[in-house]
Amino acid sequence: MPFRIVKTVLGKRGVNEIYATAGKQTVGRATLATSAVTVRHFHRSQCVCKEPNEPTKKDAQDIARNAPGKIQGAEPTVQEKNDLLSDWESNPDLTIQKFSELPSKNFGVNQHLKINDEFKEALRQILWQFRAPIRYAFAYGSGVFPQSAKTQTQTGTSLHPHPPEAITKVQGGNQKVIDFIFGVSFSQHWHSLNLQEHRNHYSGLGYLGSYAVSKVQDSLGAGVYFNPYVTVNGTLIKYGVVNIDTLCKDLSEWNTLYLAGRLQKPVKILRDNPSVRLANQVNLISAVRAALLLLPENFTEQELYSAIAGISYRGDPRMSVGGDDPKKVANIVKYQLESFRRLYAPLIDNLPNISFNDNSTKNPDWLDDPNVNAKLQQNMDPVTRGHMVRRLPAAFRSKLYFEYQSKFQIPRREFKEMMEQTKDEDPERIRKREGGPFERRIAEDVDGGGLATEVGQVIEKTIRWPSFTQSLKSMFTAGVSRSWRYATEKRSKAKAGAVKEREQTEVKKEMQHKKDVAAGSAAKSEKAQGQKEHEEMKQKLP
């Protein structure tokens, strides 16, 4: 299968740099070569409260048009392409403070998705209502990105008390609570300031002070403290507060997948932070790898994005007890296909073991075409897939290894020695994360569903307990009434989704029945006509 490398917005050093065709310059702590990318140079402020300019339609066309491009000269080997990724991915420096310290000038620009400008400004105005310092913030969920067909029919009641015109215009008659995540430096300090300004946002737990609030946040669940159903700037919102270090750890290691799973789907970043951008790029490329381990050799874009979007819902207690729409993942991918494409297409084009295998991607406008469901192909060679296993996030990979220790019945002492040999930390040199005999054996596993089943089970185990405890924690952080309201609304969505699914099934059955009846009638008519012709022939015989 042919592989391609593309000079796109992927967050690694420019191709010209790797092949020593550009002059050297010092950036931050490291000496990096001048980056050469195919998209325009996006503005990036050193202030964490600003974001780079979003890609325009022409930028998207440039990405698509150059996707099949190759490096001048000899085609790089698979190993060289792996080295390009391992540069920043294997040992991300999450202590960076400036955007200039990122691996390249346009690193992670694919994370900044385009939304309506007025709507974006309305969301940012909500952030300005908080005086406590927010270092990183994003809006997510159905209130920002659609999960159903848009309706303009007003029901006579408004969910938001006095929303800005931009929010009303974008959401139409299908108004939704807008969800936010705030990344902060020091949880207790942030809650101390926020309690003084917005005491009404908190449940009775707020009376115990910022220490109790931050203790509950950091000690239980996934390290997030949610305040739901609060009105800010005339808009009903829910916001979660998380420590920046907790966020970066989950993004880079997948220890809970609670926040990493949210950022694997389209979100709108409103305030950016260099260390989070670096960690999230690791998260996104890890999501692609995990999805590939769940998929066969040939698949479509929708199947890939469904596998990625479904990661955070595997093991979620709400999905197993009917606490959410059963078709939620399918709806997310269906109505956000273009956003998924802008988020992941640059990563796909730069991975050495996956490629688009569809003529539709040769069209410069294919990124904007919702009717395109491009075909893809991945390399199923055990050595290549062993490398993918080795490059999974550390905490997640450790759980997968323990699963296979049990499955392969490897003695504890032998397993411990194997793990020592594959440690990421190496005081002598930066170790390239390459799969060895153990990872190759994992990649070759086909018993009981094979690697795909094991990866799925590890995802479920990773998510189940943090999601469960986070839900229990909401009884204290949100209060009984707001928790009950949230659970009731989720349950209503689940019932509505189940009813719609049954209706669609009945329609399909009815259509199939009509087809069967029509086919049966046609067969009977053909048989009767054949018998009639046979009788006529018999009468003509002497």
Side-chain angles (χ1 to χ4, degrees):
M1 179 180 66
F3 296 115
R4 299 173 298 174
I5 187 166
V6 189
K7 298 180 285 184
T8 64
V9 296
L10 177 65
K12 61 172 178 282
R13 300 177 190 176
V15 174
N16 287 349
E17 171 199 346
I18 301 299
Y19 288 89
T21 59
K24 299 283 184 179
Q25 65 177 3
T26 302
V27 180
R29 306 175 202 167
T31 301
L32 305 178
T34 303
S35 176
V37 293
T38 59
V39 294
R40 296 175 183 173
H41 289 247
F42 297 101
H43 167 74
R44 179 173 62 245
S45 170
Q46 297 300 322
C47 175
V48 300
C49 297
K50 295 184 178 180
E51 60 177 295
N53 291 336
E54 296 159 334
T56 64
K57 183 173 181 180
K58 186 179 185 306
D59 294 324
Q61 292 173 346
D62 290 342
I63 294 171
R65 184 163 44 252
N66 289 282
K70 296 182 180 180
I71 301 172
Q72 296 295 324
E75 173 73 10
T77 65
V78 172
Q79 183 58 53
E80 287 174 328
K81 293 173 185 178
N82 278 327
D83 290 345
L84 296 181
L85 293 175
S86 64
D87 226 16
W88 56 269
E89 184 194 358
S90 297
N91 297 274
D93 182 6
L94 302 181
T95 65
I96 60 174
Q97 299 294 321
K98 299 178 181 179
F99 288 101
S100 60
E101 295 175 310
L102 289 168
S104 68
K105 190 167 186 177
N106 292 292
F107 184 94
V109 73
N110 55 306
Q111 298 175 24
H112 285 274
L113 302 177
K114 179 71 175 178
I115 64 171
N116 178 276
D117 288 336
E118 294 178 354
F119 182 48
K120 179 183 72 174
E121 185 58 32
L123 297 178
R124 297 177 85 167
Q125 286 297 323
I126 291 174
L127 298 188
W128 287 112
Q129 304 306 311
F130 293 87
R131 294 185 180 179
I134 300 170
R135 289 180 56 195
Y136 182 82
F138 65 88
Y140 67 99
S142 58
V144 183
F145 293 92
Q147 296 179 15
S148 61
K150 187 176 179 180
T151 174
Q152 294 293 338
T153 304
Q154 296 291 341
T155 60
T157 59
S158 177
L159 180 69
H160 306 298
H162 304 287
E165 184 180 350
I167 292 178
T168 303
K169 186 177 179 180
V170 168
Q171 293 193 341
N174 192 20
Q175 292 194 355
K176 302 279 188 180
V177 174
I178 298 178
D179 298 322
F180 295 89
I181 291 291
F182 299 159
V184 304
S185 298
F186 304 101
S187 300
Q188 184 177 350
H189 177 250
W190 195 91
H191 286 296
S192 176
L193 296 175
N194 200 49
L195 278 165
Q196 294 177 27
E197 186 180 12
H198 300 297
R199 173 62 189 84
N200 61 316
H201 291 185
Y202 292 80
S203 66
L205 188 62
Y207 288 111
L208 300 179
S210 60
Y211 176 79
V213 170
S214 60
K215 193 69 176 176
V216 170
Q217 172 187 318
D218 296 330
S219 303
L220 300 174
V224 190
Y225 190 101
F226 281 105
N227 282 327
Y229 300 112
V230 299
T231 302
V232 178
N233 211 28
T235 307
L236 194 64
I237 71 168
K238 178 183 76 174
Y239 66 91
V241 182
V242 62
N243 189 283
I244 285 283
D245 292 339
T246 301
L247 174 59
C248 288
K249 184 174 183 179
D250 193 36
L251 291 172
S252 59
E253 298 183 15
W254 285 13
N255 55 324
T256 69
L257 266 172
Y258 190 84
L259 292 166
R262 277 163 172 72
L263 280 159
Q264 287 163 6
K265 297 182 284 291
V267 304
K268 181 55 196 171
I269 298 171
L270 301 169
R271 291 188 185 175
D272 206 356
N273 176 276
S275 61
V276 179
R277 193 193 294 188
L278 175 58
N280 193 35
Q281 200 74 344
V282 174
N283 173 45
L284 294 175
I285 202 166
S286 298
V288 175
R289 288 200 176 98
L292 292 178
L293 295 175
L294 296 169
L295 292 167
E297 181 177 3
N298 297 287
F299 50 91
T300 65
E301 269 190 300
Q302 287 192 353
E303 289 173 329
L304 173 63
Y305 302 146
S306 294
I308 292 173
I311 289 176
S312 61
Y313 293 107
R314 287 175 176 255
D316 190 331
R318 295 176 302 176
M319 302 302 289
S320 58
V321 298
D324 213 330
D325 188 347
K327 298 195 70 175
K328 190 176 183 71
V329 172
N331 290 336
I332 289 174
V333 175
K334 178 180 178 181
Y335 294 101
Q336 300 174 30
L337 179 61
E338 295 169 55
S339 295
F340 271 102
R341 193 175 281 157
R342 292 175 185 277
L343 193 60
Y344 287 105
L347 298 171
I348 293 169
D349 273 321
N350 283 271
L351 280 170
N353 56 315
I354 178 177
S355 63
F356 286 102
N357 188 24
D358 200 310
N359 289 331
S360 62
T361 60
K362 295 179 181 178
N363 185 340
D365 295 322
W366 79 278
L367 285 174
D368 298 311
D369 189 349
N371 297 317
V372 172
N373 184 20
K375 299 175 183 177
L376 297 102
Q377 184 179 24
Q378 66 166 315
N379 188 345
M380 301 297 286
D381 177 67
V383 175
T384 300
R385 289 174 71 79
H387 291 332
M388 281 205 297
V389 170
R390 183 68 184 86
R391 288 171 179 268
L392 291 171
F396 183 84
R397 187 179 68 243
S398 295
K399 295 173 186 175
L400 183 64
Y401 285 168
F402 279 114
E403 287 290 318
Y404 273 101
Q405 178 198 13
S406 176
K407 186 170 186 177
F408 293 157
Q409 297 182 345
I410 302 173
R412 184 175 180 179
R413 182 175 180 179
E414 181 183 343
F415 180 75
K416 187 176 180 180
E417 291 176 355
M418 290 169 54
M419 293 301 98
E420 285 295 323
Q421 294 172 2
T422 59
K423 284 178 64 176
D424 289 336
E425 300 79 10
D426 189 337
E428 301 297 327
R429 63 183 178 87
I430 297 177
R431 185 187 300 275
K432 295 178 181 178
R433 292 196 293 166
E434 299 175 359
F438 181 52
E439 287 81 9
R440 191 154 51 248
R441 187 181 176 189
I442 290 174
E444 292 173 338
D445 177 36
V446 294
D447 295 336
L451 178 57
T453 298
E454 297 297 330
V455 170
Q457 290 177 351
V458 173
I459 291 173
E460 291 177 9
K461 290 178 180 179
T462 301
I463 293 172
R464 186 177 295 118
W465 181 247
S467 294
F468 177 69
T469 52
Q470 189 71 39
S471 297
L472 288 180
K473 185 168 73 173
S474 67
M475 296 293 292
F476 302 97
T477 61
V480 176
S481 61
R482 289 192 289 189
S483 296
W484 178 256
R485 177 181 176 182
Y486 180 78
T488 301
E489 289 184 358
K490 285 292 185 181
R491 182 60 181 165
S492 297
K493 288 182 180 180
K495 289 181 177 180
V499 169
K500 188 175 181 179
E501 190 173 9
R502 283 197 301 270
E503 290 175 350
Q504 291 175 344
T505 302
E506 290 299 323
V507 170
K508 289 180 181 179
K509 286 182 179 179
E510 185 176 351
M511 291 178 65
Q512 186 62 44
H513 177 69
K514 289 180 179 180
K515 288 181 180 180
D516 293 341
V517 170
S521 298
K524 288 180 180 180
S525 177
E526 185 178 350
K527 184 178 180 181
Q529 182 65 27
Q531 289 177 346
K532 182 179 179 181
E533 291 176 355
H534 181 68
E535 290 296 329
E536 290 176 353
M537 288 292 294
K538 284 177 64 177
Q539 291 176 3
K540 291 179 180 180
L541 291 174

